[in-house]
Amino acid sequence: METHSYFPVPPGVGMEENFLSLDDILLSHERLPSRTECTFPRLGFLEKSSDSRDIQEGTKMEMPLFLAKGLYERKRRVVSVELPKVYKEGWRTVFNADPTVVDLHKMGPYYYGLGSQLLHFDSPENPEIAQAVLQVSTAHKHLYPLISLSHCSLHYPPLAGSSGVINFGC
């Protein structure tokens, strides 16, 4: 019987967030490439590459998802968010060819969650991003039984059941 020091809370689904979920908290700290659309007075200390006292309009910087969502407004442009490289057209082409060959964990541990959160920002590529995330999700879902079985075979010795069928102890 497993015991946890905390009660695991599942992450939010789609564009919804669950602030009690550790996965959602970590997801909200994923950094997004962004550009300021106005001057931020007396916040220059946040931009390490500049000695200026202010963050100037047009400054490119990375900011956490929670801050980008808070500063992003459709009516008044304060900040614009650029797509991370794994969601750009080049990677979507790779995913269209064969989504199972890409190690998503290396590309970012929150590929699905961050992809759905990117839909908050107005981008002409939103339909393609949603399609790519869905396509990769369904392709990887078909591989899950094989991955699970290979994981079990590495960690548990095969057990012969009474029927002679090999059981990996999973």
Side-chain angles (χ1 to χ4, degrees):
M1 182 170 115
E2 273 187 60
T3 60
H4 296 282
S5 59
Y6 69 97
F7 181 72
V9 178
V13 179
M15 292 173 58
E16 298 296 319
E17 296 172 277
N18 185 345
F19 290 108
L20 298 176
S21 165
L22 293 177
D23 285 330
D24 278 357
I25 292 170
L26 293 173
L27 168 65
S28 72
H29 285 79
E30 284 287 311
R31 296 195 166 275
L32 296 175
S34 57
R35 186 174 353 105
T36 59
E37 299 292 335
C38 64
T39 301
F40 291 95
R42 292 179 284 179
L43 291 177
F45 65 91
L46 294 174
E47 179 57 39
K48 307 254 188 261
S49 65
S50 175
D51 293 333
S52 176
R53 199 177 139 177
D54 303 333
I55 296 178
Q56 299 300 321
E57 180 179 343
T59 302
K60 290 187 176 185
M61 57 191 314
E62 286 189 339
M63 61 178 58
L65 173 64
F66 74 88
L67 184 58
K69 283 174 64 176
L71 291 175
Y72 183 82
E73 293 181 17
R74 291 187 169 118
K75 295 178 184 173
R76 192 175 128 225
R77 292 287 182 187
V78 176
V79 68
S80 60
V81 176
E82 299 172 12
L83 292 177
K85 69 177 183 174
V86 72
Y87 300 100
K88 290 188 178 180
E89 187 176 353
W91 279 104
R92 288 196 310 260
T93 305
V94 171
F95 292 140
N96 283 337
D98 188 5
T100 60
V101 298
V102 179
D103 184 1
L104 292 177
H105 193 73
K106 283 184 181 178
M107 300 307 292
Y110 301 104
Y111 175 79
Y112 303 111
L114 186 58
S116 65
Q117 292 296 316
L118 286 173
L119 300 178
H120 280 287
F121 306 106
D122 282 338
S123 170
E125 298 182 55
N126 276 357
E128 290 87 9
I129 293 170
Q131 182 64 35
V133 169
L134 180 64
Q135 181 181 357
V136 171
S137 172
T138 54
H140 280 261
K141 196 178 287 185
H142 293 293
L143 286 180
Y144 183 74
L146 296 175
I147 294 169
S148 180
L149 182 60
S150 67
H151 172 75
C152 289
S153 66
L154 291 175
H155 296 290
Y156 300 103
L159 306 170
S162 59
S163 61
V165 176
I166 295 178
N167 178 1
F168 284 101
C170 298

